[in-house]
Amino acid sequence: MSEAFAVAARRVRRREYRLAGLLAGLVALVGLGLLSLAFGSRPIPLGVVLDTINAYNPSDDRHLIVWSLRVPRTAVALLAGLALGASGAVMQAITRNPMAEPGLLGVNAGAAIAVVLGASFFGVATMAGRVWFGIAGAGLAGVVVLLLGRAHETGTNPVRLVLAGAGLSVMLGAVTGIVLINAPTAVLDDFRTWAAGSVAGRGFDVAGVLAIVTTIGLVLAFSIAANLNAISLGSDLGKVLGLHTGRTLFLACLAVMLLAGGSTAAAGPVGFVGLVAPHLARAVTGPDYRWILPYSALFAALLLLGADLLGRMIASPDEIATGIVTALVGGPFFIFIVRRFRLRPL
């Protein structure tokens, strides 16, 4: 009896530690967000930033910079980070692949070709409008990779999925290049900035669309968190445990389509954030996806916000694109993952 009480007490303490970790992460995220509002080509004191939030004065140019430029930029970086972290965790669960993330499985390439086609052939000029094209392209690319990897028939195979994602990315990249060569110069200039992975110049229209898409995607992802624990063990074992595998996979793919597609369309193909964050979360929480998902989203938001802030600070008054900073950080981590897991399922 005493042993049962001890086990229950350990579970309660573990849960309290995890909740405390989430709270600490949220506090860090708020602090990083304030720094993002304060630093840039023109540093603005934190007091002025707080005054802008509490009592916006459009006649003050510092308030104008914070509210019109840095608030939507910070919001997009935060939302894109949440989306990339959660989508990466879901993808690693359903594919049982430790290297799964939107960039490696063709989702970014699908979003890219959709954004280019929308701008070139359908005259979509606003970033908010391109988000919807990015979502559709990301979703279609993800479905094609799963079909090519034959995950629906023989179970997920890490090597097959990575090869399918790489092949699809190369093919879609070639098509994107062909379209861009024949596209107007304005489309090429916009794509060049977007392809580097940047949240600069994003307005409230983009933040609003991304907020809606991310919220729906996170709700879907969290609704199947418990099922992901079973499906990450394999589809056969999931069926033995009474899991409705098809429905879970459908909801998971829909969540990834919204999260990865929306974030990629809004912030560009930011690599490695969706790969790194789930592994950091798993190191803290263990294998339970009910905790991996919120921690992964939180860590990814911190990484993306930090990368955006670092890119502004190290090259001030110019800046380095967020996607370049995340690639410099995530590249070595990717090599570590390859060497550690050797493409074995999770």
Side-chain angles (χ1 to χ4, degrees):
M1 195 69 173
S2 60
E3 183 178 351
F5 280 120
V7 172
R10 284 196 297 270
R11 289 178 179 175
V12 171
R13 285 196 299 270
R14 191 181 302 117
R15 184 173 184 273
E16 290 177 348
Y17 291 150
R18 289 169 174 172
L19 288 174
L22 284 177
L23 181 59
L26 289 174
V27 172
L29 193 61
V30 171
L32 199 59
L34 290 175
L35 292 177
S36 177
L37 297 178
F39 287 96
S41 58
R42 178 181 175 182
I44 296 175
L46 282 175
V48 176
V49 170
L50 295 175
D51 289 340
T52 303
I53 297 174
N54 294 325
Y56 172 58
N57 181 10
S59 62
D60 190 331
D61 61 336
R62 297 175 301 176
H63 286 211
L64 195 62
I65 291 173
V66 171
W67 184 254
S68 301
L69 299 178
R70 295 183 185 175
V71 168
R73 175 175 185 162
T74 301
V76 170
L78 170 64
L79 292 167
L82 292 172
L84 287 171
S87 64
V90 172
M91 291 180 75
Q92 289 180 12
I94 63 176
T95 63
R96 299 171 59 216
N97 183 354
M99 295 198 313
E101 66 104 21
L104 295 176
L105 295 185
V107 174
N108 284 352
I113 184 62
V115 169
V116 170
L117 291 175
S120 300
F121 296 104
F122 297 97
V124 181
T126 64
M127 185 59 67
R130 294 175 189 174
V131 169
W132 300 111
F133 278 85
I135 292 171
L140 290 174
V143 170
V144 170
V145 168
L146 287 175
L147 292 175
L148 291 176
R150 298 174 61 192
H152 64 299
E153 296 177 1
T154 59
T156 55
N157 182 295
V159 175
R160 199 158 49 225
L161 286 170
V162 169
L163 291 176
L168 183 65
S169 296
V170 171
M171 184 184 70
L172 292 180
V175 176
T176 302
I178 293 172
V179 175
L180 286 174
I181 290 175
N182 297 280
T185 306
V187 174
L188 179 60
D189 290 339
D190 288 344
F191 180 81
R192 182 178 57 186
T193 303
W194 176 86
S198 175
V199 293
R202 305 300 188 261
F204 283 109
D205 54 346
V206 176
V209 174
L210 185 58
I212 296 172
V213 171
T214 301
T215 300
I216 297 173
L218 289 176
V219 170
L220 289 174
F222 285 119
S223 70
I224 59 171
N227 292 344
L228 292 178
N229 288 329
I231 205 170
S232 64
L233 299 175
S235 58
D236 292 337
L237 185 55
K239 292 178 181 178
V240 171
L241 295 174
L243 176 67
H244 195 302
T245 307
R247 182 172 58 190
T248 300
L249 285 174
F250 172 77
L251 292 176
C253 291
L254 183 59
V256 169
M257 179 182 73
L258 293 171
L259 293 170
S263 61
T264 301
V270 178
F272 297 110
V273 172
L275 169 69
V276 173
H279 286 282
L280 295 177
R282 197 173 289 109
V284 174
T285 67
D288 190 346
Y289 275 91
R290 292 174 297 179
W291 291 100
I292 289 176
L293 279 175
Y295 266 93
S296 180
L298 181 61
F299 284 153
L302 288 170
L303 286 171
L304 196 57
L305 261 179
D308 181 49
L309 182 60
L310 183 62
R312 280 183 273 169
M313 294 177 64
I314 62 178
S316 181
D318 297 322
E319 62 180 68
I320 299 175
T322 308
I324 296 175
V325 178
T326 59
L328 292 175
V329 174
F333 190 86
F334 175 75
I335 296 174
F336 167 76
I337 293 299
V338 172
R339 293 180 59 85
R340 178 181 177 184
F341 289 95
R342 299 183 185 278
L343 288 176
R344 292 176 300 174
L346 285 172

